Amino acid sequence: MENYSIIIFILAIVIGLSAFADKAKLPYPILLVIVGVAIGFIPTIQEIEINPEIIFLIFLPPLLYDASFNISPKHFKTNISTISSLAIPLVFFTTFWIAVVSHYMIPGMTWPLSFVLGAVLSATDAVAAINITKGLGIPQKTLTILEGESLINDASALVAYHFAVATVMGATFIIWKAAFQFVFLLAGGFLVGAVMGKILGIILRTVRNNINVVVSFMLLMPFVTYLVAEHLHVSGVIAVVFLGLAMARLSSKVFPEHLKNSSKSLWDVIIFLLNGLIFILIGLNFRYVLEDIETDMILPYIGYAVVITIVALLTRMVRIFLQKINLQKAFKNNDKKKRKVSENALLDFGNSIIISWSGMRGIVSLAIAIGLPRFLEDGTPFPLRNAIIFISIAVVLLTLIGQGLTLPWIVKKVNEKAAQNKIDSTS
């Protein structure tokens, strides 16, 4: 079966499974991943090669733009401290601890290779987090934190990944250069996003009476913004996120309701199909990665993936509960500081548990793992490349299926506990 035929086949499955997922009360992404794994083992299905550049260009811009466009600006601003602490420091802490565990646990895993694996698995995935938490009755504040973190942390993970790979390739890692590049990427991405938002705003004000032209520009601009940012060697991820935030503000002030509805309807269909393709592709690729692993190493690598998943989860929980404590201390000391912490920014135990458990990995981890160079500068094969890819995909599947399937139960228990506490406080 040709690749384009497989894509049509997959899209038909995505549409059919969406209806089944609603009736079966299963998280939609989990069902797609499981079915993708099953389809991958059909003998007549050919491999669909995932080109990381295509993933970052075709999938990321519209998904990031849509999420940032629909995020609550009020909740985003209120919870910016928590979002930034999860999107930047947590990514580097996760990279470090996965690297430490991998180095001492996996035979042949040198420090540079360990940091490559850590960087690949350091960031949560916006697509997975948003889709799995949708419809679970999670408070808007918690959803905003998860979405905000997932929108920004890709940039942190990509910086860590590029430096780790460069070290494996023979470059010398210098921390001040890494820090400077990270700031440059973020600031540059913000600037590109802001400028492109201004340009798009001027265009849309000019042609706002032509619905087709307006919607077409809004569809095209995330891709253009991403390409411009990457061409200037700054963060395309951050540029698209700030473009989405800028368009959300403009939309609320300028566009008539019928135009918003037309744009939203088209975006909803596109995002629905892209999401479906992503999760099916994650499952489909498992079989072909599995074929590159020696049979006697499959179980050990799965075991390593389980340990790494636990380490990533524990690192996340520690960071989130430390943030909870820091916010409470800052709130108590509001009178002593000029910069006050809002009571709405505080995290309770239930929110902290849900945010901790919602740290699923997804398409970004898969794309950058598969995008590992095949050869070093001297022409020798990239060390443990297949092992890193296999372990990365195993961790992605473990977080999506393991955490994703148990998240509804955790949310239910947290909500029941909150309801009980409310009853106790009023009685």
Side-chain angles (χ1 to χ4, degrees), residues 98 102 105-107 109 117 120-121 286 289 293 297-298 300-309 369 384-398:
I98 289 178
S102 300
M105 178 177 63
I106 304 173
M109 191 69 73
L117 180 58
V120 167
L121 296 170
F286 184 71
V289 173
I293 301 297
M297 292 304 298
I298 292 175
Y301 284 161
I302 292 175
Y304 301 148
V306 171
V307 174
I308 289 170
T309 301
L384 296 180
R385 182 178 184 274
N386 289 338
I388 292 173
I389 294 174
F390 179 84
I391 292 170
S392 298
I393 292 182
V395 171
V396 169
L397 292 175
L398 284 169

Side-chain angles (χ1 to χ4, degrees), residues 367-384:
I368 60 179
I370 292 175
L372 281 171
R374 293 184 179 275
F375 301 99
L376 300 178
E377 295 290 344
D378 59 4
T380 58
F382 193 95
L384 296 180

Side-chain angles (χ1 to χ4, degrees), residues 239-405:
V240 172
V241 168
F242 277 98
L243 174 71
L245 293 172
M247 284 303 98
R249 289 196 298 271
L250 179 67
S251 173
S252 62
K253 296 177 182 177
V254 175
F255 298 144
E257 199 64 33
H258 71 278
L259 182 56
K260 293 179 189 176
N261 293 335
S262 299
S263 175
K264 187 176 186 306
S265 297
L266 183 58
W267 268 110
D268 286 347
V269 173
I270 292 172
I271 298 304
F272 167 71
L273 293 175
L274 287 177
N275 282 338
L277 273 175
I278 282 175
F279 292 112
I280 286 278
L281 286 174
I282 290 174
L284 276 174
N285 272 266
F286 184 71
R287 167 192 168 187
Y288 300 102
V289 173
L290 195 63
E291 291 175 352
D292 294 328
I293 301 297
E294 296 177 11
T295 306
D296 61 337
M297 292 304 298
I298 292 175
L299 285 179
Y301 284 161
I302 292 175
Y304 301 148
V306 171
V307 174
I308 289 170
T309 301
I310 294 170
V311 168
L313 180 59
L314 290 176
T315 303
R316 182 175 179 81
M317 291 184 75
V318 169
R319 184 70 193 91
I320 288 168
F321 277 92
L322 282 175
Q323 175 69 6
K324 174 179 177 291
I325 294 169
N326 291 337
L327 287 173
Q328 288 172 339
K329 287 181 179 178
F331 180 71
K332 290 178 181 177
N333 295 329
N334 267 344
D335 293 338
K336 303 174 184 177
K337 295 182 179 181
K338 292 182 181 179
R339 186 179 178 182
K340 295 188 176 183
V341 175
S342 165
E343 186 174 0
N344 293 328
L346 299 179
L347 298 174
D348 59 28
F349 181 81
N351 281 337
S352 301
I353 289 292
I354 292 171
I355 294 169
S356 298
W357 205 259
S358 299
M360 281 74 70
R361 272 60 184 172
I363 193 65
V364 173
S365 294
L366 178 65
I368 60 179
I370 292 175
L372 281 171
R374 293 184 179 275
F375 301 99
L376 300 178
E377 295 290 344
D378 59 4
T380 58
F382 193 95
L384 296 180
R385 182 178 184 274
N386 289 338
I388 292 173
I389 294 174
F390 179 84
I391 292 170
S392 298
I393 292 182
V395 171
V396 169
L397 292 175
L398 284 169
T399 58
L400 285 176
I401 297 173
Q403 290 172 230
L405 284 177

Side-chain angles (χ1 to χ4, degrees), residues 57 61 221-233 236 240:
L57 175 60
M221 208 59 168
F223 301 99
V224 175
T225 301
Y226 183 87
L227 285 173
V228 169
E230 291 297 313
H231 180 73
L232 296 174
H233 304 292
V240 172

Side-chain angles (χ1 to χ4, degrees), residues 206-222:
T206 305
V207 299
R208 62 180 175 180
N209 293 326
N210 190 323
I211 294 178
N212 291 334
V213 173
V214 169
V215 173
S216 297
F217 267 116
M218 292 187 72
L219 287 175
L220 184 63
M221 208 59 168

